[in-house]
Amino acid sequence: MTYTVKAVAEIAGVSVRALHHYDEIGLLKPASVSPSGYRQYGDPDLDRLQQILFFRELGFSLQEIKQIIDSPGFDRKKALLTHKELLLEKQRRLHALIQSVEQSIDAIESGKAMEKDAMFEAFNDSKLVAYREEAKARWGHGDAWKESEKRTSRYGKEDWLTVKAELQAISQNLAALMDRDPADPVVQEGVGRWWNMINERFYTVTPEIFRGLGNMYVADPRFTATYEKVKPGMAQFMQQAMRIYADAMEANG
């Protein structure tokens, strides 16, 4: 079956302009073009578009998505299973937020103070962040993904609270050092703590993966926003400092 660009836009909930752009950059080219110049899409094109939209949900850039789904080793089923994990985690977080709202209402009606930890626990998105980092590692380094999945599957509430505290402590320390050169030994020591946290908590971090994470902090608006909230310019600072650390790791073997 074939579909016009307008029909695909309506089915997928994307704009015609976006589909034209995907065609122009080679991300989603129509199966054929009619003699009158109209794009015609087939069912395999819709499968590919679905995958594109899933990867967008994970925060990948269009160029990254193209490289991933065009790679010879791309496995659509494995990718979908990963997307499922992320969506289930979002579902769990939404459920926790609803529970938090209900508990807050109960506390107001009963006149009893709500436990402070319970007030903010539902806003902890460290696991979602971890899944996105794992996804980045997954499609460039399958072993890293499997390792991370194995480790984090054992984490409970206290583990994630510990991870969150570590993330905050290390990032605040690095933010306080932003007046220094990213290559400054003190900055690099702090970056080393960042590398060690990811390496111990999630997966073995190679220089290539660490450099890629730094690039993602700038390329992915959601990660950029996270670090900009800590201190303006921090995402760029992290990228530079992590690149220097990764280069040094490679140089030292």
Side-chain angles (χ1 to χ4, degrees):
M1 185 172 180
T2 60
Y3 308 85
T4 64
V5 67
K6 182 179 179 181
V8 173
E10 291 176 351
I11 292 170
V14 299
S15 68
V16 170
R17 179 178 295 181
L19 293 173
H20 286 174
H21 181 58
Y22 294 170
D23 183 7
E24 290 167 2
I25 65 175
L27 179 59
L28 180 67
K29 301 193 74 66
S32 62
V33 178
S34 70
S36 54
Y38 291 103
R39 294 172 171 86
Q40 297 177 320
Y41 296 86
D43 290 326
D45 299 318
L46 295 186
D47 290 341
R48 183 177 173 96
L49 177 58
Q50 183 199 47
Q51 197 62 68
I52 290 168
L53 298 179
F54 275 135
F55 275 112
R56 280 181 54 193
E57 179 69 20
L58 284 172
F60 286 81
S61 70
L62 295 181
Q63 187 58 42
E64 288 173 325
I65 295 171
K66 185 177 185 302
Q67 292 174 353
I68 291 168
I69 60 183
D70 284 342
S71 64
F74 178 68
D75 187 318
R76 183 166 177 258
K77 181 179 178 181
K78 287 182 180 179
L80 288 170
L81 289 172
T82 301
H83 297 317
K84 178 182 176 182
E85 281 299 314
L86 176 66
L87 293 171
L88 286 172
E89 181 55 36
K90 284 188 173 183
Q91 182 184 58
R92 286 189 285 268
R93 186 166 185 254
L94 181 60
H95 179 67
L97 287 168
I98 293 172
Q99 284 188 318
S100 180
V101 170
E102 291 176 344
Q103 290 171 1
S104 298
I105 293 172
D106 290 342
I108 292 172
E109 292 179 344
S110 66
K112 296 180 180 179
M114 188 175 175
E115 291 291 333
K116 302 308 178 189
D117 288 345
M119 287 175 64
F120 299 101
E121 180 182 347
F123 296 99
N124 178 15
D125 62 354
S126 59
K127 195 166 185 178
L128 284 176
V129 171
Y131 270 118
R132 291 192 182 104
E133 288 187 349
E134 291 165 17
K136 288 286 181 178
R138 165 63 179 86
W139 281 284
H141 309 272
D143 291 340
W145 162 259
K146 293 175 183 176
E147 182 182 357
S148 179
E149 189 176 44
K150 182 178 180 180
R151 291 191 199 181
T152 57
S153 66
R154 298 193 296 263
Y155 288 179
K157 173 185 172 182
E158 293 302 320
D159 296 307
W160 286 113
L161 289 175
T162 300
V163 169
K164 181 181 180 181
E166 290 177 358
L167 287 167
Q168 290 178 336
I170 298 171
S171 61
Q172 289 290 346
N173 175 66
L174 287 168
L177 299 173
M178 284 178 57
D179 59 335
R180 304 191 182 206
D181 188 291
D184 185 290
V186 178
V187 174
Q188 287 299 296
E189 181 182 356
V191 173
R193 290 176 59 202
W194 189 254
W195 171 86
N196 190 60
M197 184 274 298
I198 299 172
N199 192 64
E200 289 188 352
R201 294 292 185 180
F202 299 107
Y203 46 78
T204 302
V205 185
T206 65
E208 182 181 1
I209 291 177
F210 198 56
R211 191 182 295 111
L213 288 174
N215 292 337
M216 183 175 64
Y217 296 163
V218 173
D220 188 327
R222 282 171 287 194
F223 277 96
T224 302
T226 297
Y227 293 108
E228 292 301 295
K229 287 179 182 177
V230 179
K231 190 170 183 178
M234 186 173 179
Q236 186 73 32
F237 182 78
M238 290 287 289
Q239 180 195 39
Q240 295 173 356
M242 290 167 71
R243 174 180 53 78
I244 293 169
Y245 191 89
D247 290 347
M249 288 177 66
E250 289 181 333
N252 295 329

